[in-house]
Amino acid sequence: MPMNLIKHDQVPVGPTAVGLTLPVRASNGETYRPRRALIAVTDNPIRWRADGTAPGFTVGTPVSAGSYIDWTDSEYDYDAFQLIKRVKFIQADSASGPATLEVDFFD
């Protein structure tokens, strides 16, 4: 199944948990429902959770700077929208400063 890029976004991640902002159609203000996302972690390590609980400096799935969170695998029939909607990120305890997420949303 081909993927179409909906939007690219940059998300700063610091000591307070943050989520992703869903893309909005410019033509009518309707919120897209992306099915896939590719997230590059830059600058510093982060932690994330997508279970409705905010991550902490030492709690959550760790991701190193230079790594990716990949919710694009078309081999599996899953819809990452629920992950995209619920996920929260925070800088890891080993971070020397904030991180930046480079996020691509796909339909």
Side-chain angles (χ1 to χ4, degrees), residues 13-15 42-46 57 65 91-99:
V13 178
T42 66
D43 304 321
N44 279 292
I46 58 135
F57 294 121
Q91 72 185 40
D93 62 337
S94 61
S96 60

Side-chain angles (χ1 to χ4, degrees), residues 57-107:
F57 294 121
T58 60
V59 178
T61 303
V63 183
S64 301
S67 298
Y68 291 86
I69 301 168
D70 187 350
W71 295 327
T72 63
D73 193 340
S74 61
E75 293 294 315
Y76 299 98
D77 186 24
Y78 71 95
D79 183 344
F81 178 69
Q82 293 304 320
L83 292 171
I84 294 166
K85 193 168 77 169
R86 289 191 313 249
V87 70
K88 300 283 187 231
F89 305 91
I90 196 166
Q91 72 185 40
D93 62 337
S94 61
S96 60
T100 301
L101 304 179
E102 299 286 344
V103 183
D104 288 323
F105 295 101
F106 301 91
D107 64 4

Side-chain angles (χ1 to χ4, degrees), residues 25-67:
R25 293 180 201 271
S27 61
N28 62 8
E30 179 182 310
T31 301
Y32 278 101
R33 187 182 165 97
R35 292 178 39 87
R36 308 272 192 253
L38 180 62
I39 304 167
V41 179
T42 66
D43 304 321
N44 279 292
I46 58 135
R47 290 185 176 265
W48 67 273
R49 290 180 69 157
D51 62 356
T53 303
F57 294 121
T58 60
V59 178
T61 303
V63 183
S64 301
S67 298

